[in-house]
Amino acid sequence: MSTDFWSSSHYRKWIVDHVTIRESRAEDLRYVDDPEHLDFLGIFFANIITKLCKKLSLRQRVIGTATVFFRRFYLKNSYCETEPFIVAAACCYVAAKAEESPVHIKNVVMEARSLFSQDRYGVKNFPSDNTKLAEMEFYLLDDLECDLTVFNPYRPLLAFCRKEGTQQRTQNTWLPEMEIGEVGVAVDSKDAERYWGNGEGQLELNEGALQLAWFIINDTYRADICLLYPPHLIAIAAIYLTLILHQQIRETVIPLLAHDAPEPSSTSNEPPRRSSRQQPGGGISTPRRQAQDPVSFLAGLNVSMPTIFNIAQHIISLYALWDRYKEDGAPESQARSGNHSAVASPLTQGSTPGTSHKRTMTASRGGSMSAPGPTSGSRTPGSEGGTPVIVTPAFLTKMLTRMREAKMADLAHPASGRPVNKMLERTQAAG
Amino acid sequence: MAMLEDWSSKSDQMRYYRSKKDSSKLTVSSKYTILGFISSGTYGRVYKAQSLEAEDRDRLYAIKKFKPDKEGDVITYTGVSQSAIREIALNREIRHDNVVALKEVMLEEKSIFMVFEYAEHDFLQVIHHHSQTLRSSIPTAVLKSLIYQLLNGLIYLHSAHILHRDLKPANVLITSTGIVKIGDLGLARLSSQPLQALHVGDKVVVTIWYRAPELLLGAKHYNKKIDLWAVGCVMAELASLRPVFKGEEAKMDAKKQIPFQRDQMGKIVDVLGPPTTREWPGMVHMPEYNSMKSIDQSQQNRLKEWCHSRIRSQQGYDLLRLLFIYDPDKRLSAEDAIKHGWFYEDPKPTWNSFQSLNAAQIPPHRRITQDDAPSMVTSQHNTQHARPGSGMSAQTHGLGTGLGTHTQGLGSQGVGTQGYGVQTGYGTYNTQTQGYNAQGQGTGGTRKKARLDR
């Protein structure tokens, strides 16, 4: 909104560190068998928010903002003391208004009731009374400290990149989500220039690649990434992963790297050095005067590359986790990958670019990728609680109920001490 | 402990959360002393308050309380209105000397309280003071300082892609130290170029007298320049102490179609002459272009004569001329307006707009009344003040549940239709009578009346 992200409430107040996130989960950690389960809850509710927003015909940016609201709420609250389904519904309702695309409260209640009562969620008692959601909205606004302007990475992405063959950003109308000039202008055309160290301009990507970057951004909302990093860096990390994952582009990039190792610190004023080696017909179009090849684009960016790698690492570990989460309880199969495009990662994206990435991702994961999950720290997979290999909504909703019951039991009988403290048990077991 | 059992009740799993939140919450009355009631409008009521907190003890604030929604006599939650969300979201992000600062938002008893910095005066009050008490025009040094600072605040808003969309004398405040503060972002919206259709959310924007010609001609796309037209109107009004284009608003018809504002357009043409397609080529694409043809085409532009006795400066006339350019693309931007030669000729603008005035010339303090103050806490008075004139406001606010497009359109209309009543930049009044009643309550009103009779 305000053009300047650096003076926004988003930057000043809502970019937090790992420690803050870990501390915010302290209460919940006492009631779960495996800290990793809380990360699954993050995926689970991000999916629910996506589905609810899609049912309400809300656009991708609203989904992003709603998810950010949800994560900010749980920076201050615990799953075991709240009912996250109504929180999620309120987040969608407020985000729609904050993004200037309001929906009637009745519709939110109706759609939420019908979605949440599906067997896989089993929430049969979602209040049909509008006032309950409106009341939750009120408390939510308070916990959000009324900071309702969220900067999402979509706009920076479109400031950094353009579809090949187009001269202006504004022609990126191929994306159904593409909206011109609204809330969350984290980096607009002018501001983007300050991150282009050598001022060479935008990266041209083909349609499939740009779409992949867009989908990767959608996926980042399933982890705490939006709480940890500024949106323009998330956009760059998505571009970076796109360059690696998009097959055509990879084929273009590899020869560039083979002949000339990149110098990330280079901010020279020379024209893009590698453009002459561009392979025609690859994922990158023959550069116009202002377009760059991907390597010089990344090398020329005036941002912290280690941070970009951290974000990329975080995204990859999210995919590793997400691969073990199944919405319908059945193991992932090719057959279903098409039907769930609303919540699918590039791993399961049914569309044309999707199939090849799936292979790519699986391959890279099989290798050295064993980065820890966002909040899990030193977790021991498959600990005494018996982590299922595949985590399902049914498992998570049951877990939520158990957590809440245990918490309420503790509250009701404070004198008897704390009967169950799984975090303590774990620590003791570990010696 | 019986209550604890309930926390785990299946029917309301948020009960524990709420009780925890409620018990830790600071109340409005624990942080502020309410000194009195300032004004009310479609959105709710504004109070003058003083801080009780140690770090800024006694500092003054204006607390805007959004009207809670009611079903019968019971106050219920029905969802926060789109305009409240918008005003909160925008205000949380902005910070500029010439824009009213929001200190905090408090949520209590199903009501929203926005705590703004307090400003003792506003442009409308300065106009009234000069027209009715001093019976003399506003000195050029003051006029220039006010417009300069107004533009300065507007540059900031526009650079943040915020359109104010409701600039008028009542919405521009002045502190006791003469600093201009743009207020009431209730209608403000984000924009960025190229523009999307802004009319989608709010069918009618800007109070009629300050409404730009492109809006009067039904433009679906408009931009920052609508605010600059309003600045021109405000400048002319400060100079002449009367609204420069004081048209009658045509009401919405039964089908809720927005009519062409013939009278308002006519008032503009009276002074500026009719727009021509040569000076404004885009005019032919305006939805109401054909309606324009019914307006007297024989008038001449007589702005220069109009300015002669009122602005008394060739440069001042030139600035006004550039703000009143029909074609929004050619109209001055805020950045260009502030660089205009008028601001460089003597007397130069000052940061204390009142610097050149003696004590008697400074307008009186904002009047507050005591009797309404308790409603701040009990919220019982809202119904008492629902006069017939505010019917539209009641309607709009009742629907403030994110109904969206249509309701918002009506809401804007509600703001737009008001007469020349007492308004404050923390929010505007709906009807003329209500306006005068509020400020004229108690002895103050009587005294004022007596003086006017004399």
Side-chain angles (χ1 to χ4, degrees), chain B residues 132-425:
Chain B
Q132 287 164 26
T133 308
L134 301 176
R135 296 183 181 277
S136 66
S137 60
I138 297 170
T140 303
V142 178
L143 168 66
K144 199 179 285 185
S145 304
L146 295 178
I147 296 297
Y148 185 89
Q149 293 187 47
L150 169 58
L151 286 169
N152 198 44
L154 202 54
I155 288 173
Y156 171 77
L157 291 178
H158 286 179
S159 74
H161 303 300
I162 297 167
L163 302 190
H164 188 284
R165 305 204 299 182
D166 196 20
L167 283 179
K168 57 184 170 183
N171 281 346
V172 190
L173 311 178
I174 313 166
T175 65
S176 53
T177 54
I179 308 288
V180 172
K181 305 272 180 184
I182 298 176
D184 200 355
L185 294 179
L187 258 186
R189 244 203 93 163
L190 290 167
S191 87
S192 193
Q193 279 150 350
L195 284 162
Q196 59 146 52
L198 286 173
H199 78 289
V200 170
D202 314 85
K203 291 218 167 64
V204 180
V205 299
V206 189
T207 307
I208 185 103
W209 300 337
Y210 310 93
R211 207 175 288 165
E214 60 270 29
L215 293 174
L216 295 171
L217 291 183
K220 294 202 167 16
H221 296 264
Y222 53 84
N223 57 26
K224 297 165 184 176
K225 299 297 180 63
I226 64 163
D227 286 338
L228 274 300
W229 180 274
V231 170
C233 297
V234 169
M235 177 175 162
E237 186 166 339
L238 287 171
S240 67
L241 304 180
R242 309 195 41 205
V244 57
F245 308 128
K246 195 176 176 182
E248 289 285 324
E249 174 146 34
K251 301 293 177 202
M252 247 184 267
D253 64 19
K255 289 181 215 143
K256 302 271 168 69
Q257 295 293 308
I258 295 153
F260 175 57
Q261 299 293 347
R262 187 178 316 278
D263 190 64
Q264 181 63 28
M265 197 68 216
K267 290 289 191 296
I268 295 171
V269 170
D270 282 349
V271 179
L272 303 178
T276 63
T277 51
R278 195 168 50 85
E279 59 185 343
W280 186 10
M283 181 169 64
V284 298
H285 304 301
M286 296 289 161
E288 298 286 359
Y289 174 58
N290 287 327
S291 314
M292 246 341 265
K293 292 174 181 161
S294 65
I295 285 185
D296 183 5
Q297 299 292 312
S298 66
Q299 306 241 40
Q300 298 295 307
N301 187 328
R302 51 179 195 88
L303 181 64
K304 191 160 193 169
E305 295 77 64
W306 189 94
C307 285
H308 184 73
S309 59
R310 297 172 173 92
I311 303 239
R312 294 180 298 271
S313 151
Q314 180 64 28
Q315 290 277 20
Y317 154 70
D318 190 62
L319 174 58
L320 205 52
R321 180 183 67 82
L322 295 167
L323 292 171
F324 283 153
I325 290 176
Y326 277 117
D327 186 345
D329 293 338
K330 296 176 189 151
R331 197 177 303 147
L332 226 47
S333 67
E335 292 95 325
D336 289 338
I338 210 165
K339 292 179 198 145
H340 191 276
W342 187 53
F343 296 112
Y344 293 91
E345 73 178 17
D346 287 329
K348 301 230 170 51
T350 50
W351 280 115
N352 176 355
S353 308
F354 301 139
Q355 194 167 294
S356 58
L357 301 182
N358 62 44
Q361 288 173 300
I362 290 174
H365 284 190
R366 197 179 286 289
R367 212 184 296 275
I368 58 170
T369 52
Q370 290 305 322
D371 44 355
D372 284 294
S375 73
M376 177 81 174
V377 189
T378 61
S379 32
Q380 283 167 356
H381 287 243
N382 294 293
T383 41
Q384 283 182 11
H385 289 266
R387 286 159 216 235
S390 61
M392 185 177 283
S393 74
Q395 188 191 356
T396 352
H397 203 85
L399 292 170
T401 51
L403 254 180
T405 335
H406 195 55
T407 329
Q408 278 303 316
L410 283 173
S412 318
Q413 178 83 356
V415 176
T417 46
Q418 59 200 280
Y420 205 61
V422 174
Q423 307 154 342
T424 71

Side-chain angles (χ1 to χ4, degrees), chain A residues 22 63 78-79 151 224 246 312 357:
Chain A
R22 204 157 40 235
I63 297 172
S78 306
Y79 289 109
F151 291 76
D224 290 317
H246 196 277
H357 310 132

